[in-house]
Amino acid sequence: VGGDIAELKPGQGTLTLLTNERGGIVDDLIITNTSEDHLYVVSNAGCTDKDLAIMRGRAAELQAAGSDVHLEVSDNALLALQGPSMARVLQAGLPDDLAKLSFMNSITTTVFSVPGCRVTRCGYTGEDGVEISVPTGRAVELAERLLGVPEVWPAGLAARDSLRLEAGLCLYGNDIDETTTPAEAGLLWTLGKRRRAAMDFPGAAIIMAQVKEKPKRKRVGLTSVGPPIRPHMAILGPEGTPVGSHGLCGGGPQPGWHLTVEVRKEAVHSRAGTALTVEVRKKQHPALITKMPFVPTQYYMAK
């Protein structure tokens, strides 16, 4: 990974990328330096097998070299509680003061009488929220307890995806994959300064070359007032030639725009304010490159 994990304070986490030798993104991870003297890693569920194979291989290499490394797989469940009412709802069942827990920080605590939970103030929604790692045997109990609060509703992946899109966040398998580099995805900020200098992560030479030379393609935001755009429909540049295709539709009617779309396209056409055309059912409709996030994020920073 390219994140500067060594610089994390106890309880602090960061988004980082697991890369391959071609500079592609194998997965995006959240790694937390816990107060219990170990790293806590959350991967995408669909990438678990390939991530574990890489981590186990690397752990074996380090052990053979004499390093004290141990990899343990948690069978905990993960519940995400997200939105403006999160802090008030969760505080009622928490002995700790949530006002002291900043975005991307984590504590181990008891949640509504369920001990041994890890509460991390993050989530893939752009809203203030937490992810709760809970012992599997009591996950249903905790979920039902939370759903007993009138403001709490179950939400599926469609709700998460639309929020994720509004916040301009990448979603593995849609906007990023093993053929996408951090530079192309707009995720160079996940690479720590020390790690950039050391270039000691897979694909570093390719990725750092793109930092200097700029990538030939880039993930950008796109707004359109036309009909819904489906994945992989053509996006045309000012000259009428194809410049890319988008990864995912999302959002809905909002002031000033109808549909938000994240696009991966020729970097030359990636400047905010550039007018493009999208082709839907053989008809062309105007679209505009737009800065992300489309909707302001609500991450909580403790004072």
Side-chain angles (χ1 to χ4, degrees), residues 40-175:
Y40 168 62
V41 181
V42 178
S43 69
N44 283 294
C47 298
T48 300
D49 291 343
K50 65 177 182 178
D51 290 359
L52 273 177
I54 292 171
M55 292 180 191
R56 283 173 172 151
R58 184 62 178 143
E61 291 174 8
L62 291 169
Q63 289 165 356
S67 297
D68 182 15
V69 176
H70 174 67
L71 181 64
E72 181 178 324
V73 180
S74 170
D75 63 353
N76 276 16
L78 199 64
L79 300 176
L81 184 66
Q82 305 282 311
S85 300
M86 180 281 297
R88 180 167 52 81
V89 169
L90 190 63
Q91 189 62 76
L94 210 64
D96 309 84
D97 184 2
L98 268 178
K100 296 179 180 179
L101 188 66
S102 276
F103 178 60
M104 293 305 293
N105 280 262
S106 175
I107 53 173
T108 300
T109 186
T110 297
V111 182
F112 286 107
S113 303
V114 179
C117 294
R118 175 168 293 282
V119 175
T120 307
R121 201 157 196 166
C122 68
Y124 238 52
T125 61
E127 298 293 328
D128 183 21
V130 293
E131 289 185 345
I132 307 169
S133 176
V134 53
T136 304
R138 302 191 69 176
V140 173
E141 172 192 339
L142 180 56
E144 290 177 342
R145 175 66 181 78
L146 290 170
L147 288 169
V149 180
E151 299 101 312
V152 179
W153 290 75
L157 294 183
R160 180 208 61 181
D161 287 356
S162 61
L163 288 168
R164 187 274 319 175
L165 187 62
E166 291 173 355
L169 300 169
C170 294
L171 186 62
Y172 196 84
N174 285 297
D175 318 302

Side-chain angles (χ1 to χ4, degrees), residues 92-270:
L94 210 64
D96 309 84
D97 184 2
L98 268 178
K100 296 179 180 179
L101 188 66
S102 276
F103 178 60
M104 293 305 293
N105 280 262
S106 175
I107 53 173
T108 300
T109 186
T110 297
V111 182
F112 286 107
S113 303
V114 179
C117 294
R118 175 168 293 282
V119 175
T120 307
R121 201 157 196 166
C122 68
Y124 238 52
T125 61
E127 298 293 328
D128 183 21
V130 293
E131 289 185 345
I132 307 169
S133 176
V134 53
T136 304
R138 302 191 69 176
V140 173
E141 172 192 339
L142 180 56
E144 290 177 342
R145 175 66 181 78
L146 290 170
L147 288 169
V149 180
E151 299 101 312
V152 179
W153 290 75
L157 294 183
R160 180 208 61 181
D161 287 356
S162 61
L163 288 168
R164 187 274 319 175
L165 187 62
E166 291 173 355
L169 300 169
C170 294
L171 186 62
Y172 196 84
N174 285 297
D175 318 302
I176 54 175
D177 55 32
E178 292 194 34
T179 69
T180 315
T181 69
E184 293 169 342
L187 292 174
L188 286 175
W189 60 270
T190 65
L191 304 179
K193 183 178 179 181
R194 180 178 63 84
R195 302 299 302 279
R196 292 185 189 212
M199 293 181 64
D200 56 354
F201 53 93
I206 294 173
I207 295 167
M208 294 313 297
Q210 288 185 341
V211 173
K212 294 179 180 179
E213 301 165 8
K214 305 301 180 185
K216 293 182 179 178
R217 61 178 184 166
K218 185 179 179 183
R219 181 180 66 95
V220 297
L222 184 71
T223 56
S224 170
V225 293
I229 308 169
R230 305 294 181 217
H232 311 300
M233 286 184 175
I235 297 172
L236 309 177
E239 305 84 10
T241 55
V243 295
S245 62
H246 70 84
L248 183 76
C249 296
Q254 297 284 342
W257 49 271
H258 172 70
L259 182 74
T260 66
V261 184
E262 284 183 346
V263 207
R264 219 182 305 139
K265 47 181 294 306
E266 294 297 330
V268 70
H269 295 298
S270 64

